[in-house]
Amino acid sequence: MNVEDIKKDFPLLENREITYLDNGATAQKPIQVIKAIEEFYEKSNANPHRGAYELSIEATEEYESTRAKIAKFINARHPEEIIFSKNATESLNLIAYSYGMDNLKKDDEVVISIMEHHSNLVPWQKITKATGSKLKYMYINKDFELSDEEIKNKITDKTKIVGITQVSNVLGTINPVKKIIQYAHEKGAIVIVDASQSIPHMKIDVQDLDADFLVFSGHKMLAPLGIGVLYGKKEILDKMTPFLMGGDMIEYVYEQETTFAPLPNKFEAGTQNVEGVIGLGAAIDYIENIGYNKIHDLESEVVSYARQELSKLDYLTLYLTPNVQNHCSVISFNIKGVHPHDVASILDSEKVCLRAGNHCAQPLLRSLGIDSTCRVSFCFYNTKEDVDNLVKALNKTYRMFKKYINK
Amino acid sequence: MENLNDVYNELIMEHSMNSYNKKKLDKCDLCKMGKNPNCGDEIEIELKLDGNKIQDIGFTGHGCAISQASTSIMIDTLKGKTIEEAREIIKTFIEMIKREITDEEELKKLEDAIAFRNISNMPARVKCALLAWHTIEDMLKEQNNNTQK
């Protein structure tokens, strides 16, 4: 399967003549995902877990079999360790409120990396303030990576929770998650892995990582918008209190008291985004059909080329680890003296789509002494030609600004 | 986008990169910070009055070419005007950006700020062009409230 064949599966890429380099924000959807949703509504739509009639049972089966598929996809022990949410943000809030709020005590510490997305940062500010615990940061070195030393300095006997993104959504740095988990466990802390930026690109094995929690959004991995996943170890999830209350998450409801349903329903209140779940199942089938090895090969060829070509542009500042083996998909940069939003507007005129801004990571950018960057992020359907289009558009932007840039 | 050069034209580029209006005033009567947290743009506008007249305006801070140029050109336009005239110009500018005013005669009072008329073709950048204008609009509103107290 070559990339031209793959591209044909993505109607948007066929319909729009664009260079789409904002996959870290959301990926385009293959026809197989779009069709799966259409088919669900045409043939199986009913509210799962509600009706005793055949159609509802069918919908329930599709919904639950996708849960099992996801469990297998990330190698969870049990399907009920997979909880559906609307995105990684909701999954992280669930953990913060249902685990953090109940388990953190005064003077305990939560340790996260400075690379975290606001969704794995702001909830911890709230929870640490509410519980009297402390929020501490692991900072990056000059290679835009976390050093072993930094990890060991920050994760201590006081640490109860560690939050770490597997791949930075700004830098593309791959963090040594397995090592961090091992070390945190030695210190008696649990670890939450944000796999939002990693799961579109690399095989995740929650048992091999020994992650206590792992979250991701579907839409960055070819699935529809509005569906997310929370993985948690069963023994931890079992002990946690529900996050959202309502229908389907209960056993018995009395006027003043309620008992709650077992996993996974305990954490899935109200009618769920079933089309999202079906679409996510189809996205997993699509990814498995290509295979992560092939995805890795396709992407690393294009990302290496991008690293090489962007490095040649001396008017750029790159925020990029020199260690290729620690880098995945995302490249942030700035044209010296030109604001990223101006770059994005001019690139837009060349039909090159990238993201400009703070990427929901203000503390990271502040620590780098900047307030925004241009960011390109690749998917396996991107080509070297996309990189050439990017470089051409950047050259145009630089030419436009060159004579005005303050010397 | 066909209108790229309408927006990133000589006047806007020159003002955005090398503005003589980018300065701290020795003394100011009004001062306000305008922020756009989404893009990290921050501009501080200082204004010096001579009775009812705007004697001088300066700005500091950082942002994209559009927000910097818009601030600088706004200062050129408003300097020397009375507060009432300034309010009218600000209102006209905002309405021009929203495409509520297209009448050439009416737009004349904007002087160089008319250069931003095509920014509505770049919806993502409208807020950059408006940042300084909204900031000074609020500043003059507060001034009005204070004098009425």
Side-chain angles (χ1 to χ4, degrees), chain A residues 243-280:
Chain A
F243 175 48
L244 299 171
M245 320 291 150
D248 217 34
M249 50 78 69
I250 46 82
E251 277 176 345
Y252 296 103
V253 179
Y254 305 95
E255 287 188 17
Q256 302 296 335
E257 294 298 327
T258 293
T259 58
F260 299 115
L263 291 176
N265 300 46
K266 180 167 86 173
F267 290 110
E268 292 177 6
T271 294
Q272 297 293 298
N273 177 6
V274 184
E275 68 160 82
V277 170
I278 303 296
L280 178 56

Side-chain angles (χ1 to χ4, degrees), chain A residues 193-307:
Chain A
V193 178
D194 178 358
S196 302
Q197 294 293 337
S198 55
I199 200 160
H201 311 288
M202 57 183 77
K203 175 78 190 154
I204 306 274
D205 182 331
V206 290
Q207 289 190 63
D208 178 57
L209 290 175
D210 199 18
D212 301 288
F213 294 104
L214 183 135
V215 305
F216 57 92
S217 289
H219 69 93
K220 296 185 203 289
M221 54 171 292
L222 317 178
L225 297 157
I227 184 70
V229 167
L230 159 65
Y231 159 81
K233 282 181 181 165
K234 188 172 184 302
E235 58 272 27
I236 300 177
L237 290 174
D238 268 333
K239 283 187 210 145
M240 283 160 57
T241 52
F243 175 48
L244 299 171
M245 320 291 150
D248 217 34
M249 50 78 69
I250 46 82
E251 277 176 345
Y252 296 103
V253 179
Y254 305 95
E255 287 188 17
Q256 302 296 335
E257 294 298 327
T258 293
T259 58
F260 299 115
L263 291 176
N265 300 46
K266 180 167 86 173
F267 290 110
E268 292 177 6
T271 294
Q272 297 293 298
N273 177 6
V274 184
E275 68 160 82
V277 170
I278 303 296
L280 178 56
I284 289 175
D285 290 342
Y286 190 88
I287 287 172
E288 291 197 312
N289 188 39
I290 298 181
Y292 273 114
N293 287 338
K294 178 80 181 173
I295 287 173
H296 180 263
D297 290 348
L298 289 168
E299 287 181 359
S300 48
E301 195 182 333
V302 174
V303 175
S304 307
Y305 182 65
R307 288 176 64 107

